[in-house]
Amino acid sequence: MISKPYVLASRETQTEDTIVSVGNVKIGGSQLVVIAGPCAVESKDQIMETAAQVRESGAVILRGGVYKSRTSPYAFQGLGMKGLEFLKAAGEANGMPVVTEAVSPELAVQMMDLTDMFQIGARNMQNIELLKKVGVLGKPVILKRGPSATIEEWLLSAEYMLAAGTKDIILCERGIRTFETNTRYTLDISAVPVVKELSHLPVIVDPSHAVGFRDKVSAAGLAAVAAGADGLSVEVHPQPDKALSDGAQSLYPEQFNKLMRDIEAIAPVVGKIF
Ligand code: PEP
Ligand code: MN
């Protein structure tokens, strides 16, 4: 008898950790993985340069948005499918699978051949038709927590995709909305051990969107690793001051490299291989 409203996502249904394979990368269990890249793909040169830098520091999956759900309609909206071609090429040139956000069921279908993993953005966590479609497509998915979603609502969104057919879901805590204004959102660190108890799915943390300011991203990322996260997703830009989106929270490549070396020191303490 399963006591939770989410069934397939529950630890009661599956006691062992789910390990998600993305290309040659495994996420979950004792592995610790870092996904890195710019908020948005801005040009071929920008994504190639970023990919080489984050790979050199030890990132194993390349991220980059090509359809950006911006708060303002006048802000940079992304390069679309052309950007995805650049992302895929940069991933291939550096031996990294790639992840990008799918913002609609139609675009998810179009993107199938050019991405190794989908991301469902925080704003779309309860876009039910998108969840169902991405679940049917069967590619690995990062499901971000909505900024106002409870853990139970988040796990029920994962349940939609599991029920539709995919097994490969990674949950990503990226900060929730609270009364605090010194950070962009509030990183719910305790969600990591809570979700790991409730679900067998891997849990990663995005410290970049959570805190919103680059000088605090590494502290939040290290805290997430210490809390037992299975990985991080970090925004890195070769020239954050010139970034077309989320520059304020994007790490300089040197800062990212320092964060990676600090993760190396913490990982063994929590029994992770890095
Ligand atoms: C992102 O990862 O680029 C992003 C837009 O994040 P979120 O959906 O968490 O705001
Ligand atoms: Mn971003």
Side-chain angles (χ1 to χ4, degrees), residues 2 4-12 125-126 128 131 143-146 148-164 169-173 190-204:
I2 306 298
K4 300 290 192 301
Y6 43 87
V7 176
L8 301 170
S10 171
R11 270 274 182 221
E12 294 171 334
M125 189 205 82
Q126 286 182 316
I128 304 299
L131 298 177
L143 176 64
K144 293 198 130 189
R145 180 181 183 180
S148 303
T150 64
I151 288 173
E152 186 165 297
E153 288 164 343
W154 185 20
L155 289 172
L156 279 165
S157 289
E159 188 76 13
Y160 262 105
M161 290 193 283
L162 293 165
I169 299 171
I170 295 154
L171 298 162
C172 181
E173 160 63 39
S190 50
V192 175
V194 169
V195 173
K196 289 202 81 70
E197 182 183 34
L198 295 175
S199 178
H200 51 85
L201 297 171
V203 184
I204 65 169

Side-chain angles (χ1 to χ4, degrees), residues 7-105:
V7 176
L8 301 170
S10 171
R11 270 274 182 221
E12 294 171 334
T13 303
Q14 179 184 318
T15 48
E16 70 277 15
D17 290 337
T18 283
I19 312 245
V20 173
S21 293
V22 185
N24 57 355
V25 177
K26 296 206 183 325
I27 307 173
S30 52
Q31 296 293 325
L32 184 65
V33 299
V34 175
I35 300 165
C39 179
V41 177
E42 298 170 1
S43 69
K44 189 163 191 194
D45 287 351
Q46 173 249 14
I47 191 65
M48 280 289 175
E49 185 180 353
T50 315
Q53 286 165 334
V54 299
R55 183 80 190 98
E56 177 73 22
S57 293
V60 289
I61 297 178
L62 181 65
R63 61 149 289 148
V66 298
Y67 290 95
K68 298 303 301 176
S69 298
R70 305 299 296 281
T71 302
S72 164
Y74 308 115
F76 175 62
Q77 303 286 311
L79 296 182
M81 291 304 290
K82 196 78 213 154
L84 188 53
E85 286 171 25
F86 297 155
L87 179 71
K88 184 70 182 154
E92 278 173 358
N94 292 279
M96 305 164 91
V98 301
V99 56
T100 198
E101 182 175 341
V103 294
S104 72

